[in-house]
PDB file of all heavy atoms in Angstrom:
ATOM      1  N   ALA A  30      33.830  -3.465  17.829  1.00  0.00           N
ATOM      2  CA  ALA A  30      33.538  -3.001  19.184  1.00  0.00           C
ATOM      3  C   ALA A  30      32.073  -3.206  19.556  1.00  0.00           C
ATOM      4  O   ALA A  30      31.745  -3.375  20.729  1.00  0.00           O
ATOM      5  CB  ALA A  30      33.923  -1.530  19.342  1.00  0.00           C
ATOM      6  N   ALA A  31      31.222  -3.215  18.561  1.00  0.00           N
ATOM      7  CA  ALA A  31      29.789  -3.302  18.836  1.00  0.00           C
ATOM      8  C   ALA A  31      29.294  -4.744  18.889  1.00  0.00           C
ATOM      9  O   ALA A  31      28.143  -4.990  19.255  1.00  0.00           O
ATOM     10  CB  ALA A  31      29.002  -2.518  17.788  1.00  0.00           C
ATOM     11  N   VAL A  32      30.138  -5.682  18.536  1.00  0.00           N
ATOM     12  CA  VAL A  32      29.730  -7.093  18.532  1.00  0.00           C
ATOM     13  C   VAL A  32      30.243  -7.790  19.789  1.00  0.00           C
ATOM     14  O   VAL A  32      31.411  -7.650  20.136  1.00  0.00           O
ATOM     15  CB  VAL A  32      30.272  -7.811  17.278  1.00  0.00           C
ATOM     16  CG1 VAL A  32      30.026  -9.301  17.357  1.00  0.00           C
ATOM     17  CG2 VAL A  32      29.653  -7.216  16.016  1.00  0.00           C
ATOM     18  N   SER A  33      29.374  -8.499  20.458  1.00  0.00           N
ATOM     19  CA  SER A  33      29.789  -9.211  21.663  1.00  0.00           C
ATOM     20  C   SER A  33      30.077 -10.677  21.363  1.00  0.00           C
ATOM     21  O   SER A  33      29.580 -11.233  20.392  1.00  0.00           O
ATOM     22  CB  SER A  33      28.706  -9.119  22.728  1.00  0.00           C
ATOM     23  OG  SER A  33      27.597  -9.911  22.364  1.00  0.00           O
ATOM     24  N   MET A  34      30.874 -11.261  22.237  1.00  0.00           N
ATOM     25  CA  MET A  34      31.171 -12.683  22.086  1.00  0.00           C
ATOM     26  C   MET A  34      29.882 -13.505  22.193  1.00  0.00           C
ATOM     27  O   MET A  34      29.759 -14.554  21.560  1.00  0.00           O
ATOM     28  CB  MET A  34      32.174 -13.112  23.154  1.00  0.00           C
ATOM     29  CG  MET A  34      33.545 -12.466  23.008  1.00  0.00           C
ATOM     30  SD  MET A  34      34.401 -12.862  21.469  1.00  0.00           S
ATOM     31  CE  MET A  34      35.229 -14.399  21.914  1.00  0.00           C
ATOM     32  N   ARG A  35      28.944 -13.035  22.979  1.00  0.00           N
ATOM     33  CA  ARG A  35      27.671 -13.744  23.109  1.00  0.00           C
ATOM     34  C   ARG A  35      26.901 -13.751  21.792  1.00  0.00           C
ATOM     35  O   ARG A  35      26.288 -14.741  21.422  1.00  0.00           O
ATOM     36  CB  ARG A  35      26.839 -13.104  24.215  1.00  0.00           C
ATOM     37  CG  ARG A  35      27.324 -13.418  25.623  1.00  0.00           C
ATOM     38  CD  ARG A  35      26.539 -12.601  26.655  1.00  0.00           C
ATOM     39  NE  ARG A  35      26.810 -13.042  28.010  1.00  0.00           N
ATOM     40  CZ  ARG A  35      27.853 -12.667  28.739  1.00  0.00           C
ATOM     41  NH1 ARG A  35      28.757 -11.842  28.214  1.00  0.00           N
ATOM     42  NH2 ARG A  35      28.025 -13.109  29.957  1.00  0.00           N
ATOM     43  N   GLN A  36      26.962 -12.617  21.093  1.00  0.00           N
ATOM     44  CA  GLN A  36      26.301 -12.533  19.786  1.00  0.00           C
ATOM     45  C   GLN A  36      26.907 -13.541  18.819  1.00  0.00           C
ATOM     46  O   GLN A  36      26.190 -14.240  18.106  1.00  0.00           O
ATOM     47  CB  GLN A  36      26.528 -11.128  19.205  1.00  0.00           C
ATOM     48  CG  GLN A  36      25.312 -10.243  19.137  1.00  0.00           C
ATOM     49  CD  GLN A  36      25.710  -8.881  18.565  1.00  0.00           C
ATOM     50  OE1 GLN A  36      26.421  -8.107  19.211  1.00  0.00           O
ATOM     51  NE2 GLN A  36      25.268  -8.594  17.363  1.00  0.00           N
ATOM     52  N   ILE A  37      28.221 -13.563  18.789  1.00  0.00           N
ATOM     53  CA  ILE A  37      28.911 -14.494  17.899  1.00  0.00           C
ATOM     54  C   ILE A  37      28.544 -15.922  18.260  1.00  0.00           C
ATOM     55  O   ILE A  37      28.245 -16.752  17.396  1.00  0.00           O
ATOM     56  CB  ILE A  37      30.444 -14.294  17.977  1.00  0.00           C
ATOM     57  CG1 ILE A  37      30.814 -12.878  17.526  1.00  0.00           C
ATOM     58  CG2 ILE A  37      31.159 -15.323  17.126  1.00  0.00           C
ATOM     59  CD1 ILE A  37      32.269 -12.504  17.778  1.00  0.00           C
ATOM     60  N   ALA A  38      28.552 -16.207  19.565  1.00  0.00           N
ATOM     61  CA  ALA A  38      28.232 -17.562  20.024  1.00  0.00           C
ATOM     62  C   ALA A  38      26.830 -17.966  19.591  1.00  0.00           C
ATOM     63  O   ALA A  38      26.607 -19.099  19.145  1.00  0.00           O
ATOM     64  CB  ALA A  38      28.362 -17.630  21.545  1.00  0.00           C
ATOM     65  N   ARG A  39      25.895 -17.041  19.696  1.00  0.00           N
ATOM     66  CA  ARG A  39      24.524 -17.329  19.298  1.00  0.00           C
ATOM     67  C   ARG A  39      24.478 -17.723  17.825  1.00  0.00           C
ATOM     68  O   ARG A  39      23.820 -18.676  17.435  1.00  0.00           O
ATOM     69  CB  ARG A  39      23.640 -16.110  19.564  1.00  0.00           C
ATOM     70  CG  ARG A  39      22.156 -16.420  19.608  1.00  0.00           C
ATOM     71  CD  ARG A  39      21.336 -15.157  19.853  1.00  0.00           C
ATOM     72  NE  ARG A  39      21.893 -14.358  20.951  1.00  0.00           N
ATOM     73  CZ  ARG A  39      22.119 -13.042  20.883  1.00  0.00           C
ATOM     74  NH1 ARG A  39      21.823 -12.367  19.783  1.00  0.00           N
ATOM     75  NH2 ARG A  39      22.630 -12.403  21.914  1.00  0.00           N
ATOM     76  N   GLU A  40      25.218 -16.968  17.025  1.00  0.00           N
ATOM     77  CA  GLU A  40      25.257 -17.242  15.584  1.00  0.00           C
ATOM     78  C   GLU A  40      25.853 -18.629  15.304  1.00  0.00           C
ATOM     79  O   GLU A  40      25.388 -19.345  14.432  1.00  0.00           O
ATOM     80  CB  GLU A  40      26.093 -16.156  14.893  1.00  0.00           C
ATOM     81  CG  GLU A  40      25.864 -16.029  13.416  1.00  0.00           C
ATOM     82  CD  GLU A  40      24.477 -15.504  13.081  1.00  0.00           C
ATOM     83  OE1 GLU A  40      23.881 -14.794  13.934  1.00  0.00           O
ATOM     84  OE2 GLU A  40      23.973 -15.815  12.003  1.00  0.00           O
ATOM     85  N   VAL A  41      26.881 -18.963  16.057  1.00  0.00           N
ATOM     86  CA  VAL A  41      27.553 -20.246  15.859  1.00  0.00           C
ATOM     87  C   VAL A  41      26.681 -21.390  16.386  1.00  0.00           C
ATOM     88  O   VAL A  41      26.723 -22.507  15.879  1.00  0.00           O
ATOM     89  CB  VAL A  41      28.921 -20.249  16.571  1.00  0.00           C
ATOM     90  CG1 VAL A  41      29.562 -21.628  16.527  1.00  0.00           C
ATOM     91  CG2 VAL A  41      29.857 -19.212  15.937  1.00  0.00           C
ATOM     92  N   GLY A  42      25.892 -21.081  17.400  1.00  0.00           N
ATOM     93  CA  GLY A  42      25.048 -22.109  17.989  1.00  0.00           C
ATOM     94  C   GLY A  42      25.660 -22.765  19.211  1.00  0.00           C
ATOM     95  O   GLY A  42      25.328 -23.892  19.558  1.00  0.00           O
ATOM     96  N   VAL A  43      26.571 -22.057  19.862  1.00  0.00           N
ATOM     97  CA  VAL A  43      27.158 -22.557  21.109  1.00  0.00           C
ATOM     98  C   VAL A  43      27.045 -21.465  22.173  1.00  0.00           C
ATOM     99  O   VAL A  43      26.587 -20.362  21.896  1.00  0.00           O
ATOM    100  CB  VAL A  43      28.642 -22.957  20.935  1.00  0.00           C
ATOM    101  CG1 VAL A  43      28.795 -24.058  19.915  1.00  0.00           C
ATOM    102  CG2 VAL A  43      29.488 -21.739  20.563  1.00  0.00           C
ATOM    103  N   GLN A  44      27.477 -21.789  23.379  1.00  0.00           N
ATOM    104  CA  GLN A  44      27.504 -20.792  24.435  1.00  0.00           C
ATOM    105  C   GLN A  44      28.803 -19.983  24.358  1.00  0.00           C
ATOM    106  O   GLN A  44      29.811 -20.452  23.814  1.00  0.00           O
ATOM    107  CB  GLN A  44      27.402 -21.475  25.802  1.00  0.00           C
ATOM    108  CG  GLN A  44      26.074 -22.147  26.024  1.00  0.00           C
ATOM    109  CD  GLN A  44      24.917 -21.165  26.112  1.00  0.00           C
ATOM    110  OE1 GLN A  44      25.060 -20.108  26.728  1.00  0.00           O
ATOM    111  NE2 GLN A  44      23.792 -21.501  25.480  1.00  0.00           N
ATOM    112  N   ALA A  45      28.744 -18.797  24.918  1.00  0.00           N
ATOM    113  CA  ALA A  45      29.884 -17.869  24.793  1.00  0.00           C
ATOM    114  C   ALA A  45      31.189 -18.496  25.273  1.00  0.00           C
ATOM    115  O   ALA A  45      32.234 -18.336  24.640  1.00  0.00           O
ATOM    116  CB  ALA A  45      29.596 -16.579  25.551  1.00  0.00           C
ATOM    117  N   GLY A  46      31.123 -19.201  26.383  1.00  0.00           N
ATOM    118  CA  GLY A  46      32.339 -19.789  26.942  1.00  0.00           C
ATOM    119  C   GLY A  46      33.046 -20.722  25.986  1.00  0.00           C
ATOM    120  O   GLY A  46      34.276 -20.805  25.982  1.00  0.00           O
ATOM    121  N   ALA A  47      32.258 -21.403  25.165  1.00  0.00           N
ATOM    122  CA  ALA A  47      32.832 -22.395  24.251  1.00  0.00           C
ATOM    123  C   ALA A  47      33.719 -21.761  23.185  1.00  0.00           C
ATOM    124  O   ALA A  47      34.605 -22.419  22.626  1.00  0.00           O
ATOM    125  CB  ALA A  47      31.717 -23.201  23.592  1.00  0.00           C
ATOM    126  N   LEU A  48      33.514 -20.506  22.912  1.00  0.00           N
ATOM    127  CA  LEU A  48      34.321 -19.836  21.882  1.00  0.00           C
ATOM    128  C   LEU A  48      35.787 -19.785  22.276  1.00  0.00           C
ATOM    129  O   LEU A  48      36.673 -19.773  21.420  1.00  0.00           O
ATOM    130  CB  LEU A  48      33.816 -18.415  21.633  1.00  0.00           C
ATOM    131  CG  LEU A  48      32.402 -18.281  21.070  1.00  0.00           C
ATOM    132  CD1 LEU A  48      32.084 -16.810  20.821  1.00  0.00           C
ATOM    133  CD2 LEU A  48      32.231 -19.086  19.797  1.00  0.00           C
ATOM    134  N   TYR A  49      36.017 -19.770  23.587  1.00  0.00           N
ATOM    135  CA  TYR A  49      37.397 -19.615  24.056  1.00  0.00           C
ATOM    136  C   TYR A  49      38.216 -20.894  23.900  1.00  0.00           C
ATOM    137  O   TYR A  49      39.396 -20.919  24.239  1.00  0.00           O
ATOM    138  CB  TYR A  49      37.414 -19.080  25.495  1.00  0.00           C
ATOM    139  CG  TYR A  49      36.937 -17.650  25.557  1.00  0.00           C
ATOM    140  CD1 TYR A  49      35.578 -17.348  25.645  1.00  0.00           C
ATOM    141  CD2 TYR A  49      37.829 -16.594  25.465  1.00  0.00           C
ATOM    142  CE1 TYR A  49      35.134 -16.032  25.670  1.00  0.00           C
ATOM    143  CE2 TYR A  49      37.408 -15.281  25.485  1.00  0.00           C
ATOM    144  CZ  TYR A  49      36.053 -15.001  25.594  1.00  0.00           C
ATOM    145  OH  TYR A  49      35.617 -13.699  25.603  1.00  0.00           O
ATOM    146  N   LEU A  50      37.596 -21.912  23.372  1.00  0.00           N
ATOM    147  CA  LEU A  50      38.355 -23.093  22.966  1.00  0.00           C
ATOM    148  C   LEU A  50      39.048 -22.841  21.636  1.00  0.00           C
ATOM    149  O   LEU A  50      39.991 -23.542  21.262  1.00  0.00           O
ATOM    150  CB  LEU A  50      37.423 -24.299  22.831  1.00  0.00           C
ATOM    151  CG  LEU A  50      36.814 -24.836  24.114  1.00  0.00           C
ATOM    152  CD1 LEU A  50      35.704 -25.831  23.784  1.00  0.00           C
ATOM    153  CD2 LEU A  50      37.877 -25.495  24.968  1.00  0.00           C
ATOM    154  N   TYR A  51      38.580 -21.827  20.908  1.00  0.00           N
ATOM    155  CA  TYR A  51      39.065 -21.606  19.552  1.00  0.00           C
ATOM    156  C   TYR A  51      39.796 -20.291  19.363  1.00  0.00           C
ATOM    157  O   TYR A  51      40.435 -20.064  18.342  1.00  0.00           O
ATOM    158  CB  TYR A  51      37.892 -21.705  18.573  1.00  0.00           C
ATOM    159  CG  TYR A  51      37.170 -23.001  18.692  1.00  0.00           C
ATOM    160  CD1 TYR A  51      36.013 -23.127  19.460  1.00  0.00           C
ATOM    161  CD2 TYR A  51      37.684 -24.140  18.083  1.00  0.00           C
ATOM    162  CE1 TYR A  51      35.378 -24.336  19.598  1.00  0.00           C
ATOM    163  CE2 TYR A  51      37.051 -25.364  18.213  1.00  0.00           C
ATOM    164  CZ  TYR A  51      35.901 -25.449  18.978  1.00  0.00           C
ATOM    165  OH  TYR A  51      35.285 -26.660  19.111  1.00  0.00           O
ATOM    166  N   THR A  52      39.657 -19.433  20.337  1.00  0.00           N
ATOM    167  CA  THR A  52      40.398 -18.175  20.266  1.00  0.00           C
ATOM    168  C   THR A  52      40.790 -17.759  21.679  1.00  0.00           C
ATOM    169  O   THR A  52      40.034 -17.970  22.625  1.00  0.00           O
ATOM    170  CB  THR A  52      39.558 -17.070  19.603  1.00  0.00           C
ATOM    171  OG1 THR A  52      40.347 -15.883  19.502  1.00  0.00           O
ATOM    172  CG2 THR A  52      38.306 -16.747  20.402  1.00  0.00           C
ATOM    173  N   ALA A  53      41.989 -17.212  21.790  1.00  0.00           N
ATOM    174  CA  ALA A  53      42.478 -16.816  23.103  1.00  0.00           C
ATOM    175  C   ALA A  53      41.606 -15.709  23.679  1.00  0.00           C
ATOM    176  O   ALA A  53      41.278 -15.701  24.861  1.00  0.00           O
ATOM    177  CB  ALA A  53      43.931 -16.358  23.012  1.00  0.00           C
ATOM    178  N   ASP A  54      41.233 -14.777  22.847  1.00  0.00           N
ATOM    179  CA  ASP A  54      40.353 -13.685  23.260  1.00  0.00           C
ATOM    180  C   ASP A  54      39.788 -12.992  22.027  1.00  0.00           C
ATOM    181  O   ASP A  54      40.090 -13.377  20.897  1.00  0.00           O
ATOM    182  CB  ASP A  54      41.075 -12.694  24.178  1.00  0.00           C
ATOM    183  CG  ASP A  54      42.400 -12.257  23.593  1.00  0.00           C
ATOM    184  OD1 ASP A  54      42.523 -12.262  22.360  1.00  0.00           O
ATOM    185  OD2 ASP A  54      43.316 -11.927  24.370  1.00  0.00           O
ATOM    186  N   LYS A  55      38.999 -11.984  22.259  1.00  0.00           N
ATOM    187  CA  LYS A  55      38.322 -11.313  21.141  1.00  0.00           C
ATOM    188  C   LYS A  55      39.322 -10.634  20.206  1.00  0.00           C
ATOM    189  O   LYS A  55      39.160 -10.640  18.989  1.00  0.00           O
ATOM    190  CB  LYS A  55      37.341 -10.277  21.721  1.00  0.00           C
ATOM    191  CG  LYS A  55      36.277  -9.812  20.766  1.00  0.00           C
ATOM    192  CD  LYS A  55      35.457  -8.692  21.401  1.00  0.00           C
ATOM    193  CE  LYS A  55      34.484  -8.082  20.417  1.00  0.00           C
ATOM    194  NZ  LYS A  55      33.884  -6.834  20.932  1.00  0.00           N
ATOM    195  N   GLN A  56      40.340 -10.062  20.773  1.00  0.00           N
ATOM    196  CA  GLN A  56      41.360  -9.395  19.969  1.00  0.00           C
ATOM    197  C   GLN A  56      42.049 -10.360  19.001  1.00  0.00           C
ATOM    198  O   GLN A  56      42.259 -10.029  17.831  1.00  0.00           O
ATOM    199  CB  GLN A  56      42.400  -8.743  20.897  1.00  0.00           C
ATOM    200  CG  GLN A  56      43.674  -8.258  20.236  1.00  0.00           C
ATOM    201  CD  GLN A  56      43.477  -7.042  19.335  1.00  0.00           C
ATOM    202  OE1 GLN A  56      44.229  -6.817  18.391  1.00  0.00           O
ATOM    203  NE2 GLN A  56      42.439  -6.248  19.618  1.00  0.00           N
ATOM    204  N   SER A  57      42.400 -11.545  19.502  1.00  0.00           N
ATOM    205  CA  SER A  57      43.041 -12.528  18.635  1.00  0.00           C
ATOM    206  C   SER A  57      42.118 -12.934  17.494  1.00  0.00           C
ATOM    207  O   SER A  57      42.570 -13.195  16.381  1.00  0.00           O
ATOM    208  CB  SER A  57      43.407 -13.783  19.431  1.00  0.00           C
ATOM    209  OG  SER A  57      44.232 -13.452  20.505  1.00  0.00           O
TER     210      SER A  57
END
Side-chain angles (χ1 to χ4, degrees):
Chain A
V32 172
S33 71
M34 294 298 273
R35 286 173 170 83
Q36 250 179 291
I37 298 171
R39 198 181 313 131
E40 199 68 26
V41 173
V43 299
Q44 294 294 319
L48 296 183
Y49 291 85
L50 292 168
Y51 304 97
T52 183
D54 50 28
K55 198 186 173 191
Q56 168 70 206
S57 303

